Amino acid sequence: MIRKIIGAIKKILKKVFYIILMSFFLILVVILAAYAIIDSDLPDIEKLTQYEEKASVITNVFDCNGEKIGEFYKEKRVLVTIDKMPAHLPEAFIAAEDARFYSHQGIDLRSIFRAFTVNLKAGRIVQGGSTITQQVARGFFLSRKKKYIRKLREAILAYRIDKNFSKEEILFLYLNQIYLGHRSYGVAAAAQNYFQKDVKDLNLAECSMLAGLPQAPSRYSPFKHMKRAKKRQRYVLKRMLVDRYITRDEYDEALKTEVVVKPIHSYYQEEAPYFTEYVRQYVENKYGLKALYEEGLKIYTTVDKSMQKAARESVKKGLLSLDKRMGYKGPITHLNAKEIFYFVNSSDTFKEDDDSGVFQGVVTDINSKDTIATVRFNDEVGYIKIDNIKWAREINPKKNYYNDRINKISSALNVGDLIYVKVKKFNAKQDIYELSLEQEPIAQSALLCIETDTGYVKAMIGGRKFVKSQFNRAIQSKRQPGSAFKPIIYAAALDKGYTTADLIIDEPITFKDKIKIEDELLDFVWRPKNYESHFFGYTSFREALIHSRNLVTIKILQDIGIDYVKNYAKKLGIDSYIDNNLSIALGSFGISLLELVKSYSVFANKGELIEPIFIVKILDKDGNVIEENEIRKKRVIEDSTAYIITNLLEDVVKEGTGKKVKQLKRSVAGKTGTTNDLYDAWFIGYTPQYVTGVWVGLDTEASMGRGETGSRAASPIWLDFMQKALSDEPELPFETSKNVTFERVTIKSKDGKIIKKDVLECFKDGTEPEQKTENKKMKIPKSIF
């Protein structure tokens, strides 16, 4: 009986053994099959050897002095080798992420088991078991989806990476690839983003804070959650102390060190956004998106960061001044009593308009004398006096002008008005701020400055705020130049035989024509007039340009021919379509600021057309030059013609429509431009060093109001900018052409009537008039001019 039982047990055990053996064999087959399937689909880790060559790296843009003004990237990354990092930086990451990094072979079974136990006790995933090598495998080759098959692929890749790469090479890959929040990839980009430091300058406190980010960059962001970041930093430092990377004293010192997290620096928007965007478009069109965003180009430009800042400030100042002359447009909105209470007691509603120190505030009281308004803003109390609000009159639409200045607060403000205010000063005794009333300007402006003899674009403003409108009004916009086009007509006339002493009668002219509208011919009558609406009789060529006489200019254009002037303008760099009628004498066609500045540069460069240059050179990430731009000049008009126009435009500044820029107290030549109904205001001017143009107007092509001419709206911006741009430059005269003669002449009409006596005039050699005073002709030394 016992033998039978024993025999039966043996048979059962034998069957169990065969079942176990078969099961083991099947499991082995399944594992091998699974491995074969996974292995066949695994990426080639040899690609990691090309990381430095193919990694997506930031493209940097620099100004003429080598200062960064922009950056373009798909992933914000700066490659840096381990030897260029402070020793504590890789140590901090190892301590926080993979303490046994130097002892395991890519997979740490001990860490995996520990993490499994901790997660089992917690009932949720609170700890991971991935090594740094696994993170490299995942970051380069796999998705972040939490699937078992992905973990298996990750483990295989990690093991292979560990076998084929040194620990230092794996660290290099990890520390340059890891995502650390706020679009920062790698430790070098994170150091710049969070601390505005080069990675080599990081201290232990900063290193440990960065090392705390990989687990959850958003949750531990020092920008958003400094308390959490500090808590995570303490954990990293504790792990470094336990692993003996730092001493107790270093641990204590690091915890005491204040970590200064600086606002993210948006080079693109803060420095020269319109200029940088122009460069971006150029590089993208020529070299493609991949080169621009991933290949770490170094783009060296012509712009000067300090001049760009000056231009930005001048445009802003000019537009704010213009806006206040245009009158008060009313409050942002009006709040009822309940809304006022919410506004005053909710910090969420107090928001700064921009970096100019302008805030939203609500009027809470107006005193009995109607001279002071109380305003709550940004958790503070302030007041606006009547003196700081007198500009806030309303536009009179019938007169296209503003009404008289106000003399009481309630003429502009009411309790409950939500308005823009700016702090003028702080009254410490009363703990209250004195404020001024502000508003968002509606006008736009563009400014373009090029260096005279190189064509280098030193500053470019394409609008009031790039964040609100990326439309570049310096290049993309085409507006009527008005009288700013006249110097080109007068230059063309000089080359047709006119002289500065020629007389033209300023008198009424009437042009009649037929125009076709919807298949019907209608009579068209054009009676052009001067800006002053009256006529000046006999007018010299010089006086006509100095005082911008419309009728004389039309007569000159009629005499020399429209086609001739159009071709002449093209020689000077104006490629925009010019209408085929006499109204072009008044600048009635569309043109860009860039074209107009380019054409004036011909006069500044003694008859040579210079191509504006935005980019000096472009290097690849290895320092090889892939593009270099040289100065390009070609003669398009005689140097004598260019100089005479300069001489005339100097007088425009001394006694004509450009008199406001005389305050520069340097050799300046320039011309204002104003269009019908005051839609556009221009000032294009130059010194021996720079040619600068300014345009002011509304995008809607509406009037800016009575009196807003080029002289009033545009030239103050030009002057303010040039005062800053030339502050450290020597005073230079315009160089006189060798082919001109200065003579004192008496200007007479055809009937012998003397118009002007003893006038010093400038002529091309051989064109001097026969009528002259007894003074001998003389060359004027160039030092006088």
Side-chain angles (χ1 to χ4, degrees):
M1 186 71 180
I2 294 174
R3 287 181 179 179
K4 287 183 180 180
I5 293 172
I6 292 172
I9 292 172
K10 283 181 178 181
K11 286 181 181 179
I12 292 170
L13 289 175
K14 194 174 182 179
K15 285 182 181 180
V16 169
F17 173 76
Y18 281 122
I19 291 171
I20 292 173
L21 187 63
M22 288 298 293
S23 299
F24 177 79
F25 178 75
L26 288 172
I27 291 170
L28 183 62
V29 169
V30 169
I31 291 173
L32 290 173
Y35 178 82
I37 293 169
I38 293 170
D39 182 60
S40 65
D41 193 37
L42 283 176
D44 183 4
I45 63 169
E46 284 299 311
K47 292 179 180 178
L48 296 178
T49 60
Q50 303 171 342
Y51 177 66
E52 285 191 72
E53 181 184 341
K54 295 189 175 181
S56 175
V57 186
I58 296 171
T59 286
N60 287 304
V61 186
F62 303 96
D63 82 339
C64 62
N65 299 310
E67 293 192 53
K68 186 190 282 192
I69 59 166
E71 52 187 20
F72 306 115
Y73 50 85
K74 182 179 178 182
E75 297 175 348
K76 188 169 185 178
R77 179 182 290 106
V78 180
L79 292 184
V80 59
T81 55
I82 300 295
D83 62 307
K84 296 293 192 301
M85 302 177 192
H88 284 319
L89 186 59
E91 291 169 353
F93 277 87
I94 291 169
E97 295 292 312
D98 189 0
R100 286 170 30 83
F101 174 70
Y102 286 106
S103 59
H104 64 64
Q105 295 182 319
I107 311 162
D108 189 358
L109 295 177
R110 188 189 302 178
S111 295
I112 293 172
F113 180 75
R114 184 189 65 245
F116 175 76
T117 305
V118 171
N119 293 339
L120 195 62
K121 289 179 179 178
R124 58 191 176 92
I125 297 176
V126 295
Q127 196 174 101
S130 292
T131 63
I132 282 176
T133 317
Q134 285 177 273
Q135 292 182 55
V136 169
R138 183 193 316 144
F140 281 92
F141 301 116
L142 305 173
S143 72
R144 299 188 65 86
K145 292 180 179 179
K146 294 183 178 180
K147 292 184 177 181
Y148 289 111
I149 191 70
R150 194 269 289 166
K151 290 298 289 183
L152 186 56
R153 287 161 58 86
E154 180 185 291
I156 295 170
L157 283 171
Y159 179 77
R160 290 182 179 178
I161 291 169
D162 191 80
K163 286 296 182 185
N164 287 276
F165 294 88
S166 69
K167 293 293 186 181
E168 285 66 30
E169 288 172 331
I170 294 169
L171 265 182
F172 167 76
L173 294 169
Y174 174 72
L175 293 174
N176 282 285
Q177 183 73 11
I178 188 72
Y179 179 63
L180 297 173
H182 299 281
R183 301 183 72 184
S184 302
Y185 289 82
V187 291
Q192 290 179 4
N193 234 10
Y194 290 108
F195 313 121
Q196 290 183 22
K197 281 187 174 184
D198 191 291
V199 68
K200 65 181 172 54
D201 298 322
L202 295 177
N203 58 42
L204 176 57
E206 292 162 339
C207 289
S208 55
M209 187 163 283
L210 290 185
L213 291 172
Q215 188 181 81
S218 179
R219 177 175 174 77
Y220 296 116
S221 166
F223 281 129
K224 297 180 178 179
H225 311 291
M226 179 53 87
K227 286 184 179 179
R228 291 180 191 169
K230 290 288 288 182
K231 185 178 179 182
R232 181 69 179 162
Q233 177 202 39
R234 182 184 291 273
Y235 166 78
V236 175
L237 288 168
K238 191 177 290 184
R239 294 303 314 159
M240 292 181 76
L241 180 63
V242 170
D243 292 339
R244 299 183 180 180
Y245 286 120
I246 58 174
T247 65
R248 184 74 199 193
D249 288 342
E250 288 176 313
Y251 172 84
D252 293 336
E253 184 64 28
L255 286 178
K256 291 176 187 176
T257 302
E258 181 185 2
V259 177
V260 180
V261 178
K262 298 185 178 180
I264 294 177
H265 191 30
S266 176
Y267 291 100
Y268 187 70
Q269 293 184 5
E270 294 172 15
E271 303 296 350
Y274 288 101
F275 184 94
T276 311
E277 172 60 14
Y278 180 84
V279 168
R280 187 198 68 77
Q281 290 178 16
Y282 170 84
V283 175
E284 179 185 330
N285 290 336
K286 187 168 184 178
Y287 298 102
L289 283 170
K290 190 175 188 304
L292 175 65
Y293 289 107
E294 299 181 38
E295 294 183 1
L297 304 178
K298 294 180 179 66
I299 305 171
Y300 293 89
T301 72
T302 59
V303 75
D304 186 302
K305 187 176 173 181
S306 61
M307 291 178 70
Q308 182 68 29
K309 181 182 178 184
R312 189 166 58 246
E313 291 171 349
S314 298
V315 165
K316 179 179 176 182
K317 178 181 175 183
L319 289 180
L320 286 172
S321 180
L322 167 64
D323 192 67
K324 289 188 175 181
R325 294 197 302 271
M326 292 174 71
Y328 184 49
K329 298 186 288 289
I332 302 167
T333 188
H334 186 80
L335 307 180
N336 59 36
K338 184 177 180 181
E339 290 169 329
I340 293 173
F341 177 83
Y342 175 74
F343 185 90
V344 169
N345 291 280
S346 174
S347 59
D348 290 341
T349 58
F350 297 100
K351 49 186 178 181
E352 193 172 1
D353 175 47
D354 56 19
D355 60 356
S356 62
V358 175
F359 298 85
Q360 288 186 8
V362 62
V363 179
T364 57
D365 184 57
I366 295 175
N367 72 341
S368 57
K369 294 182 180 180
D370 211 354
T371 56
I372 296 176
T374 303
V375 178
R376 291 293 301 270
F377 74 103
N378 206 39
D379 286 337
E380 302 288 353
V381 179
Y383 65 91
I384 301 176
K385 296 192 296 188
I386 186 65
D387 292 342
N388 292 328
I389 203 174
K390 284 187 174 180
W391 65 269
R393 57 253 170 184
E394 293 181 347
I395 290 286
N396 185 329
K398 292 182 180 178
K399 296 181 179 179
N400 190 29
Y401 202 52
Y402 41 71
N403 294 323
D404 293 336
R405 288 177 175 266
I406 65 171
N407 53 25
K408 55 183 182 178
I409 290 284
S410 60
S411 295
L413 300 179
N414 295 293
V415 173
D417 282 354
L418 186 65
I419 58 176
Y420 287 121
V421 294
K422 186 173 184 178
V423 174
K424 288 179 66 69
K425 62 183 178 182
F426 177 63
N427 187 326
K429 289 184 180 179
Q430 298 180 346
D431 191 27
I432 195 169
Y433 292 87
E434 182 179 344
L435 309 172
S436 62
L437 175 66
E438 304 294 331
Q439 66 182 0
E440 184 81 4
I442 58 171
Q444 291 285 356
S445 181
L447 181 150
L448 184 71
C449 172
I450 68 171
E451 197 168 49
T452 302
D453 58 351
T454 64
Y456 285 178
V457 177
K458 309 305 290 184
M460 180 167 70
I461 303 293
R464 186 166 45 82
K465 282 185 182 178
F466 183 78
V467 292
K468 292 196 173 181
S469 170
Q470 288 77 55
F471 182 67
N472 191 337
R473 295 159 187 83
I475 293 177
Q476 295 173 287
S477 178
K478 293 196 175 185
R479 302 291 289 251
Q480 292 185 7
S483 296
F485 183 67
K486 286 177 181 173
I488 294 166
I489 296 175
Y490 281 70
L494 287 172
D495 284 346
K496 270 282 193 177
Y498 275 78
T499 74
T500 56
D502 286 341
L503 287 177
I504 304 98
I505 300 177
D506 186 347
E507 60 186 353
I509 313 174
T510 300
F511 295 95
K512 295 181 179 180
D513 201 356
K514 296 277 188 182
I515 59 171
K516 191 173 184 180
I517 299 178
E518 295 182 357
D519 298 326
E520 184 179 355
L521 281 176
L522 300 175
D523 291 328
F524 173 73
V525 179
W526 182 41
R527 294 186 179 90
K529 59 184 180 180
N530 292 316
Y531 178 75
E532 301 88 344
S533 295
H534 54 271
F535 311 101
F536 296 88
Y538 282 109
T539 304
S540 73
F541 187 92
R542 178 179 292 273
E543 292 290 322
L545 183 56
I546 289 172
H547 299 292
S548 203
R549 304 289 189 232
N550 291 340
L551 298 171
V552 173
T553 308
I554 291 169
K555 282 189 171 185
I556 291 173
L557 174 62
Q558 192 175 27
D559 181 41
I560 64 178
I562 294 171
D563 288 338
Y564 173 70
V565 168
K566 288 169 66 174
N567 291 330
Y568 198 91
K570 192 171 184 63
K571 280 199 306 182
L572 270 61
I574 295 176
D575 295 319
S576 291
Y577 175 77
I578 300 177
D579 296 324
N580 200 43
N581 58 58
L582 291 173
S583 70
I584 67 170
L586 312 183
S588 60
F589 57 94
I591 188 174
S592 72
L593 179 60
L594 176 64
E595 289 174 291
L596 208 47
V597 169
K598 187 176 173 182
S599 67
Y600 274 63
S601 75
V602 174
F603 307 137
N605 279 301
K606 305 185 247 347
E608 290 186 318
L609 176 66
I610 193 162
E611 287 297 325
I613 297 175
F614 292 81
I615 297 172
V616 178
K617 62 182 177 181
I618 302 176
L619 309 182
D620 65 19
K621 65 181 177 182
D622 297 319
N624 301 309
V625 177
I626 60 175
E627 177 177 322
E628 195 161 15
N629 292 305
E630 296 180 351
I631 297 167
R632 299 188 297 264
K633 283 185 178 181
K634 68 174 180 179
R635 179 158 299 284
V636 292
I637 61 174
E638 297 173 0
D639 69 323
S640 55
T641 302
Y643 175 72
I644 292 173
I645 291 296
T646 295
N647 183 260
L648 292 171
L649 294 181
E650 281 188 281
D651 275 359
V652 171
V653 172
K654 291 172 184 173
E655 54 186 282
T657 57
K659 280 192 291 188
K660 283 188 178 178
V661 305
K662 269 202 305 186
Q663 296 175 48
L664 193 61
K665 297 180 181 178
R666 289 174 178 259
S667 295
V668 181
K671 184 71 183 75
T672 55
T674 308
T675 59
N676 285 342
D677 299 317
L678 304 167
Y679 283 9
D680 301 275
W682 305 76
F683 187 80
I684 316 295
Y686 54 96
T687 66
Q689 295 98 325
Y690 301 111
V691 185
T692 302
V694 173
W695 166 84
V696 179
L698 276 69
D699 285 341
T700 55
E701 297 193 35
S703 175
M704 291 180 285
R706 197 172 77 191
E708 298 302 339
T709 62
S711 175
R712 192 180 195 195
S715 64
I717 296 175
W718 189 96
L719 174 63
D720 190 67
F721 166 71
M722 290 299 290
Q723 284 173 331
K724 296 168 185 172
L726 293 169
S727 60
D728 296 325
E729 298 270 2
E731 291 187 29
L732 299 173
F734 288 113
E735 187 176 342
T736 312
S737 167
K738 296 177 181 178
N739 301 309
V740 299
T741 300
F742 287 88
E743 279 198 18
R744 290 198 174 276
V745 298
T746 297
I747 301 175
K748 297 180 181 180
S749 63
K750 288 181 180 179
D751 58 6
K753 182 180 177 181
I754 295 176
I755 305 301
K756 277 202 172 184
K757 273 182 133 183
D758 198 35
V759 178
L760 183 65
E761 274 299 354
C762 179
F763 302 97
K764 291 186 180 187
D765 285 343
T767 66
E768 306 92 331
E770 293 179 6
Q771 295 178 10
K772 54 181 180 288
T773 62
E774 293 179 356
N775 295 332
K776 293 181 180 180
K777 73 178 182 180
M778 55 183 179
K779 290 277 186 178
I780 305 298
K782 65 183 179 182
S783 59
I784 294 177
F785 295 92

